[in-house]
Amino acid sequence: MPSEHFIDKDINLYLSYISEVKNLSQNTTSSYKRDLHKLSIFLYSINIKDYDEIDDGVCASWLGKLYSLENNPKTIQRHLSSAKGFFRFLKKNSIIDSSPFELVKAPKSPSYLPEVLSPEDVSQLLNFKPSDVLEIRDLAIVELMYSSGLRVSETANINIDDFEEEMSFLRVLGKGAKTRIVPIGRYAKNAIYNWIDERTKYSEDTNALFINLKGGRLSVRSIQLRLKRLAIKQGLPPVHPHMLRHSFATHMLESSGDLRTIQELLGHSSLSTTQIYTKLDYQHLVKIYDQAHPRAKK
């Protein structure tokens, strides 16, 4: 493949657009870059030299290539979404007249419901008295993630000055650099105060809330490993951070039924993303019904 295919210059323009104008995250931009680079390689491999040569047959061949590489449906959906977004950009900027990908449909991916902890599991996870400074920090992390439905990346990026109104609320920088305000529960608030008292012994120079014993900001990977270790120590199967976020949303829905508020707390841009938790809530109702109703199917 030559150093630059005809499509590569426009891909670079598009990546700058979604990063600087649309303000998408670095991870999302990198994902688009990888997908579109693979598309460029494919077009070169079948000797496509101009946008006019990209038709329905080329699009179908590209999807077939993705299938042949044993990509799962979700990965193929992502590749197609990247291509569609790129070609919409080309059309909007009058580089092409129409997008050959506009009517192409991706395969349906199986619907996987997120894993959640029961309220009893959460209580078991958090029911311990910290024995050292690391456990004081870990308790604050887990209490906060469950209390406010945070992503692990959001948790790692929290700064001391992100708290408001005597630590009753937290400003969270979420996906797409969107900021939201979330409340903090009493248990999480107390755990954070306890950690801050210890934290000052290890660093006064950084604004990061959660740090390691060398004073550096705690990484996402470290949080994942510490949570897994804590869950096993508390007699539970390994727990990953997103299970706390799913559990937060599910328990909130079971108690309130207010899907719109949960959407705001989670920072979902679309209500359809949040609606996965209605399926979990429905499963919970069916389980209770099967256990309780004398004429239910056992």
Side-chain angles (χ1 to χ4, degrees):
M1 183 173 176
S3 59
E4 187 170 277
H5 196 212
F6 78 93
I7 199 174
D8 293 337
K9 182 179 178 182
D10 293 329
I11 288 176
N12 290 333
L13 288 174
Y14 177 62
L15 295 174
S16 296
Y17 167 72
I18 62 175
S19 174
E20 297 169 14
V21 179
K22 299 266 294 185
N23 207 23
L24 297 188
S25 70
Q26 183 178 347
N27 285 342
T28 302
T29 303
S30 296
S31 178
Y32 275 101
K33 182 178 181 179
R34 286 192 301 270
D35 294 346
L36 294 174
H37 179 63
K38 291 177 184 177
L39 175 60
S40 175
I41 292 173
F42 171 76
L43 294 175
Y44 175 77
S45 72
I46 60 172
N47 203 31
I48 298 295
K49 299 178 181 178
D50 190 82
Y51 289 116
D52 292 339
E53 299 177 24
I54 304 175
D55 56 16
D56 294 346
V58 171
C59 296
S61 296
W62 177 65
L63 284 180
K65 179 69 173 179
L66 294 175
Y67 273 112
S68 71
L69 296 173
E70 299 184 353
N71 288 294
N72 62 45
K74 190 171 184 179
T75 300
I76 295 174
Q77 286 178 349
R78 194 200 69 223
H79 277 78
L80 183 56
S81 177
S82 298
K84 285 189 172 188
F86 172 59
F87 275 82
R88 279 196 296 268
F89 170 80
L90 296 177
K91 182 180 177 182
K92 182 179 180 181
N93 287 276
S94 302
I95 297 172
I96 60 174
D97 295 326
S98 61
S99 169
F101 285 95
E102 203 57 48
L103 299 179
V104 178
K105 292 185 178 179
K108 289 185 177 180
S109 58
S111 178
Y112 296 110
L113 295 179
E115 293 180 272
V116 298
L117 300 169
S118 68
E120 293 75 21
D121 288 337
V122 174
S123 295
Q124 183 175 336
L125 178 66
L126 296 170
N127 185 25
F128 71 96
K129 186 174 182 179
S131 60
D132 57 31
V133 65
L134 291 181
E135 289 193 350
I136 292 173
R137 182 199 63 192
D138 293 348
L139 181 60
I141 290 173
V142 180
E143 285 281 13
L144 181 57
M145 292 181 73
Y146 175 66
S147 170
S148 303
L150 302 183
R151 299 177 178 94
V152 63
S153 58
E154 294 169 346
T155 305
N157 289 327
I158 294 171
N159 292 323
I160 293 289
D161 56 12
D162 289 336
F163 293 100
E164 298 185 357
E165 297 188 27
E166 297 182 346
M167 212 170 282
S168 295
F169 295 91
L170 175 68
R171 278 182 287 109
V172 180
L173 185 64
K175 285 188 175 180
K178 294 179 181 178
T179 301
R180 67 186 188 277
I181 304 292
V182 296
I184 301 173
R186 173 168 56 92
Y187 289 101
K189 191 173 177 179
N190 290 338
I192 293 168
Y193 275 132
N194 290 337
W195 160 242
I196 288 177
D197 286 343
E198 297 293 331
R199 175 191 173 281
T200 55
K201 301 174 185 176
Y202 298 93
S203 177
E204 296 181 353
D205 299 329
T206 178
N207 196 23
L209 174 61
F210 296 118
I211 59 175
N212 55 40
L213 298 187
K214 294 181 180 179
R217 185 183 295 273
L218 200 63
S219 68
V220 166
R221 182 61 177 158
S222 294
I223 294 175
Q224 292 169 336
L225 292 173
R226 293 294 298 183
L227 177 56
K228 179 180 178 181
R229 178 181 179 276
L230 174 61
I232 293 172
K233 182 180 179 182
Q234 291 298 101
L236 294 168
V239 172
H240 57 79
H242 227 60
M243 288 174 69
L244 294 173
R245 180 170 160 88
H246 293 322
S247 302
F248 160 84
T250 303
H251 301 163
M252 286 285 293
L253 184 62
E254 288 174 355
S255 299
S256 69
D258 190 342
L259 197 63
R260 184 69 69 176
T261 297
I262 295 169
Q263 177 195 359
E264 293 293 326
L265 291 173
L266 291 174
H268 287 163
S269 57
S270 170
L271 188 62
S272 62
T273 307
T274 318
Q275 284 173 335
I276 185 67
Y277 298 107
T278 63
K279 296 181 181 179
L280 289 170
D281 194 39
Y282 174 76
Q283 285 194 335
H284 172 72
L285 292 174
V286 169
K287 184 178 179 181
I288 297 299
Y289 175 83
D290 284 345
Q291 291 174 346
H293 198 286
R295 304 289 284 183
K297 181 180 178 181
K298 299 297 182 183

